[in-house]
Amino acid sequence: MKQNKRGSDVAAPGRWINDNASLQECCQHILQSGCRFLALDAEYLSSLHCFHQRVALIQITACSDEHGLNCSDFLLDPMRITDASPLAALLTNQDIEKLFHAADQDTAIQEWCKCEIDNVFDTQVAAGFLHPDKPPMGLYNLLENHLGLHLPIDKKRMQRSNWGVRPLQRDQQCYAQTDTRHLVRLRHYLLQQLSARFPDSHPHAHFILPLIKERSAITPGGTQTAPLAPKRPKQLPSMNQQQLHCLDQLLEHRFNIAKQADRPLHHVLANDLLVKVAVHLPHDRHSWYRIPWTPQDRNKLWRLEREVSNWVKVVTTALATYNPAQAQEAQVPDNTPVGKKRGREHEDAEAGLPPSKHRKTAVPRDVVKCGCDLLALEFWNHPEALGGNTRNLIIPRPVADQLAELQQVDEESVDRVLAATPVRKQCFRTRLLEVLKQRPDKDDVQRAVDGICR
């Protein structure tokens, strides 16, 4: 690792891999070097620069020792490489531990490789076990606080930069490589600290590493790579139903253009300009130019000069097809704001079920929540081990949701829910059954906290 004149610990970029032959050679080198740890991260073409979001760069650091001393760095170009099978062979190799920070944000790597990554260690999850009183920590905070590394990088600017442009600038390559260069050292440090925090006398000491790895596992699939449908802007001026109908047609037209050309939505036409068109309803080119555009608006609109007729045609078609009666019927009693996720109560209604909060279950959601809090307090023996993060580390949120749907609390039902997390089943099953049968509340949690403080 090279340091610049200011003493920066930013990593120098590794070898650039941009074709199938180079990837094959790279993966063979990693295997022959006796690699034990493979640190990975990815950068993406985001909605700022395209319609179909996709992985644009994969960073790899391969190490043969746990101290991160004997390492090789690589930058892979998935936009040029067409055969990812050599990398897939490494990712499915059980003898190599794969290191990520916030692994759930890099599911696109295994989707690109068309494989399921085995033997994963997530440094963010490990840091959560070490610091139960803190929210999930960013990589740079961990590197600076625990390893004393100086990383003067403008992360926000780098994350918003265009990763699809070739060649990448050197500061982009250095930023990308830094995300993997220190993960092996960070893993070693975190495990050392966890061994001190959970000595052999701790009842769950031998479960720490298996718990981290189980929570680090990357769930296959589920990555949304593009908007699913047009959405209205969250903040709108006062508009009547005719104007809203026109706005919906304009949004759909923009959506189709962006999807076909793989352009970001705001590059086709920004939301504030679409809303102005829907408010003033231009019926020809002359009325389009009579819209009170600001000088800033006109700077954005110059590229649309040849397409004005098409946008006006969308407006006139929307006005011709507008039916006040249908617009009134379309106003269903749904209080979900446009563009927001539909809540659990809407999902229950569509499934023909009573609302979850009124549905009778053997284990209400508050009981599960308090039960997980009690398990977290016992696990860390610390009053600050409360909150969503620690609860999620003990019993992952999807599993807790299933527990809250149980119609009865017995061994068979709880075992069926915990089957997806075998390590947690082995570690917490007996105590979880006891806690759920006791139906704890907030007072029980507070008493447990008071007992630890004493």
Side-chain angles (χ1 to χ4, degrees):
M1 180 183 62
K2 297 180 180 179
Q3 289 194 345
N4 61 26
K5 294 180 180 179
R6 298 181 181 179
S8 168
D9 292 299
V10 176
R15 178 184 168 190
W16 184 255
I17 307 295
N18 62 353
D19 58 57
N20 295 341
S22 298
L23 179 62
Q24 179 72 40
E25 180 187 346
C26 161
C27 294
Q28 286 180 351
H29 168 77
I30 290 174
L31 279 175
Q32 293 171 359
S33 65
C35 172
R36 294 172 53 201
F37 304 98
L38 195 67
L40 298 108
D41 189 46
E43 306 300 335
Y44 299 88
L45 265 176
S46 70
S47 59
L48 291 173
H49 305 287
C50 65
F51 183 86
H52 299 280
Q53 300 176 51
R54 53 194 177 272
V55 60
L57 183 71
I58 296 176
Q59 308 94 273
I60 293 179
T61 296
C63 289
S64 57
D65 69 284
E66 62 182 6
H67 301 285
L69 299 178
N70 186 18
C71 295
S72 300
D73 297 322
F74 305 92
L75 294 175
L76 276 58
D77 187 354
M79 301 174 66
R80 303 280 181 86
I81 299 170
T82 58
D83 180 14
S85 57
L87 180 59
L90 289 179
L91 298 182
T92 55
N93 189 328
Q94 284 282 358
D95 296 329
I96 301 176
E97 186 173 276
K98 292 78 184 181
L99 308 184
F100 290 86
H101 186 83
D104 55 352
Q105 296 180 14
D106 290 317
T107 57
I109 294 179
Q110 69 176 12
E111 292 173 9
W112 180 69
C113 292
K114 299 178 182 178
C115 69
E116 292 188 18
I117 304 177
D118 295 324
N119 193 10
V120 176
F121 183 98
D122 190 333
T123 52
Q124 188 177 70
V125 173
F129 278 93
L130 185 60
H131 303 287
D133 56 325
K134 297 180 180 179
M137 301 179 69
L139 175 60
Y140 280 28
N141 286 338
L142 289 173
L143 293 177
E144 291 183 11
N145 295 338
H146 294 316
L147 300 185
L149 300 182
H150 178 53
L151 303 169
I153 293 178
D154 186 350
K155 284 189 61 180
K156 188 169 292 187
R157 183 177 70 86
M158 287 291 101
Q159 290 169 350
R160 294 171 63 90
S161 63
N162 189 348
W163 291 95
V165 173
R166 297 293 184 269
L168 289 176
Q169 298 176 6
R170 182 173 175 81
D171 59 346
Q172 285 181 297
Q173 297 182 45
C174 292
Y175 163 79
Q177 198 69 73
T178 301
D179 283 349
T180 60
R181 188 62 180 84
H182 306 289
L183 282 184
V184 176
R185 285 179 61 196
L186 181 60
R187 170 197 177 275
H188 179 67
Y189 174 87
L190 291 173
L191 288 180
Q192 279 188 324
Q193 296 299 307
L194 285 168
S195 297
R197 179 74 184 265
F198 299 96
D200 293 339
S201 58
H202 190 282
H204 299 306
H206 60 290
F207 281 110
I208 296 299
L209 184 57
L211 284 170
I212 292 173
K213 290 199 170 186
E214 184 177 78
R215 189 67 186 88
S216 301
I218 300 176
T219 305
T223 302
Q224 183 177 326
T225 59
L228 300 178
K231 292 182 180 179
R232 291 179 186 172
K234 293 181 180 179
Q235 295 183 349
L236 293 174
S238 178
M239 300 174 70
N240 59 39
Q241 289 301 313
Q242 186 182 47
Q243 292 169 327
L244 288 173
H245 173 71
C246 181
L247 176 61
D248 290 338
Q249 300 306 307
L250 290 167
L251 288 168
E252 185 173 357
H253 182 64
R254 181 182 70 169
F255 183 89
N256 292 333
I257 292 175
K259 183 177 182 179
Q260 184 175 1
D262 194 22
R263 294 168 60 191
L265 293 171
H266 65 277
H267 276 199
V268 177
L269 195 60
N271 282 342
D272 57 336
L273 305 184
L274 273 182
V275 171
K276 277 192 176 182
V277 174
V279 168
H280 292 89
L281 300 176
H283 57 277
D284 55 23
R285 292 181 69 93
H286 295 293
S287 55
W288 173 279
Y289 291 119
R290 285 198 297 271
I291 295 175
W293 304 114
T294 66
Q296 292 80 4
D297 294 340
R298 296 186 185 280
N299 289 336
K300 299 176 185 177
L301 286 168
W302 66 268
R303 75 183 84 177
L304 291 179
E305 191 62 33
R306 297 180 180 179
E307 302 173 20
V308 169
S309 298
N310 293 333
W311 289 97
V312 171
K313 184 177 180 181
V314 173
V315 175
T316 55
T317 303
L319 293 175
T321 58
Y322 173 68
N323 187 328
Q326 291 180 352
Q328 195 68 25
E329 292 176 2
Q331 297 182 44
V332 295
D334 182 353
N335 294 325
T336 306
V338 176
K340 298 271 186 171
K341 292 184 179 179
R342 296 173 65 83
R344 178 178 292 272
E345 63 273 13
H346 297 288
E347 297 174 0
D348 292 337
E350 291 175 352
L353 299 172
S356 300
K357 59 183 178 181
H358 300 308
R359 199 184 310 159
K360 292 183 178 180
T361 61
V363 194
R365 193 167 301 278
D366 288 343
V367 170
V368 175
K369 179 179 175 180
C370 292
C372 293
D373 283 339
L374 289 176
L375 290 179
L377 288 169
E378 294 172 5
F379 185 84
W380 278 281
N381 193 32
H382 197 286
E384 294 183 350
L386 289 178
N389 185 39
T390 52
R391 213 179 292 135
N392 198 30
L393 290 175
I394 294 296
I395 302 294
R397 191 169 292 110
V399 177
D401 290 341
Q402 293 181 50
L403 290 171
E405 298 292 331
L406 290 179
Q407 298 300 316
Q408 58 182 1
V409 179
D410 55 29
E411 294 185 4
E412 182 180 352
S413 300
V414 173
D415 286 348
R416 186 169 60 251
V417 173
L418 294 180
T421 55
V423 177
R424 279 158 177 76
K425 178 180 177 181
Q426 184 181 0
C427 187
F428 301 118
R429 172 186 178 275
T430 303
R431 182 61 182 138
L432 181 62
L433 271 168
E434 294 175 358
V435 168
L436 294 182
K437 288 179 179 179
Q438 293 170 2
R439 303 176 67 83
D441 55 22
K442 292 182 180 179
D443 292 337
D444 295 317
V445 175
Q446 186 58 50
R447 281 192 289 271
V449 172
D450 294 340
I452 292 174
C453 291
R454 286 196 297 268

